[in-house]
């Protein structure tokens, strides 16, 4: 009989800004969660780039990674992800080369193809938009990998300083099939954003694994699946905390993003039937409940996806409840 596979558990953090709070307080909350995650044994801790979102404080992703890395000692820190179309690859190589130089062996670079914003914000970020720019994503990823993998004797005419030859791990992130195909072709690890876009999860995983080509970076496919987990000491408390995320998704769909709402006892008067259906569909890859329910949910997820790693997202209004949720999630994972 084969030995049971241990699946690492990791954290995705959007540095949520609850109603009545500030970005500064969100950063302090993220540091508390990162320090707890290190103590509990979480494998890595990623931050997501979003712009023009008044409820998300992780827009300057690399800066926040540095802050959390300075406050921890062993935890891997990274981006989940940097939205590469928003940036020149050289700038990202320099930023993450700087982080890797300061915190060697602890930095991941996860890359996304989406803008992480609306059209107007995209214009503010990039000043111009073109089809050629969108189509440059595969070449931009390859350029980053080539810089990081350069040998000691290689001196390209343009080079990131620091960054050249630092072997920084590069991941591709996706919520559709595109990045699964590209990650397979380039031989890179792949993370799927099923915490908000679950529809193509299984198809993307199959394409990635079936099409994977070994590379100097990765011999065989490595897939991470991200899900929402809200854990509490009772099912009722967990469902109550989850209403913050449900309200946040309603607001996004109404084009009115804002701070993370306080939880409510009843959602019935807050959404229409169509909104309820849409939100429940988007958040269907969520594990909500007490320790037993979370343990069962994680076990099912690992069994169904055969994921090499699970990443946990939890947009929770109260900082102490958020810390408790991630504590319970790790306890559940360790008892599998």
């Amino acid at each position: 009989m084969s030995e049971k596979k241990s699946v690492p558990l990791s954290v995705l953090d959007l540095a949520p800004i609850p109603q009545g709070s500030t970005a500064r307080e969100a950063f302090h909350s993220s540091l508390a969660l990162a320090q707890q995650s290190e103590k509990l044994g979480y494998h890595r801790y990623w931050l997501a780039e979003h712009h023009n979102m008044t409820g998300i404080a992780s827009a300057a992703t690399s800066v926040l990674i540095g802050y959390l890395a300075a406050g921890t000692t062993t935890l891997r820190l990274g981006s989940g992800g940097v939205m590469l179309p928003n940036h020149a690859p050289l700038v990202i190589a320099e930023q993450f080369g700087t982080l890797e130089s300061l915190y060697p062996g602890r930095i991941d670079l996860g890359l996304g193809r989406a803008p992480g914003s609306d059209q107007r914000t995209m214009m503010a970020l990039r000043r111009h938009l073109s089809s050629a720019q969108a189509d440059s994503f595969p070449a931009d990823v390859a350029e980053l990998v080539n810089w990081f993998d350069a040998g000691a004797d290689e001196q390209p005419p343009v080079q990131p300083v620091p960054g050249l030859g630092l072997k920084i791990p590069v991941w591709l992130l996706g919520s559709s099939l595109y990045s699964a195909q590209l990650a397979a072709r380039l031989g890179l690890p792949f993370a799927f954003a099923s915490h908000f876009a679950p529809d193509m999860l299984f198809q993307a995983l199959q394409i990635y694994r079936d099409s994977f080509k070994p590379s100097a970076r990765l011999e065989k496919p490595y897939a991470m699946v991200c899900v929402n987990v809200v854990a509490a000491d009772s099912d009722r408390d967990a469902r109550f905390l989850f209403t913050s995320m449900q309200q946040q998704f309603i607001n996004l769909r109404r084009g009115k993003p804002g701070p993370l709402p306080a939880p409510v006892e009843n959602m019935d008067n807050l959404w229409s039937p169509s909104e309820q259906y849409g939100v429940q569909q988007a958040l269907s890859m969520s594990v909500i409940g007490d320790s037993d329910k979370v343990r069962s949910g994680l076990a099912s997820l690992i069994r169904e996806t055969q994921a090499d790693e699970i990443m946990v997202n939890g947009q929770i209004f109260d900082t102490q409840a958020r810390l408790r949720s991630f504590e319970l999630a790790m306890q559940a994972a360790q008892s599998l």
Side-chain angles (χ1 to χ4, degrees), residues 5 7 14 27 43 47 55 71 91 120 179 271 295 330:
K5 177 183 175 183
V7 177
L14 276 62
F27 297 147
H43 185 49
L47 297 140
V91 172
R120 184 176 297 176
S179 289
W271 53 16
R295 184 185 306 111
M330 176 54 78

Side-chain angles (χ1 to χ4, degrees), residues 29-46:
S29 177
S30 287
L31 178 58
L33 180 58
Q35 290 172 335
Q36 175 185 270
S37 298
E38 182 172 82
K39 291 176 184 176
L40 291 174
Y42 278 93
H43 185 49
R44 65 183 94 238
Y45 191 109
W46 281 4

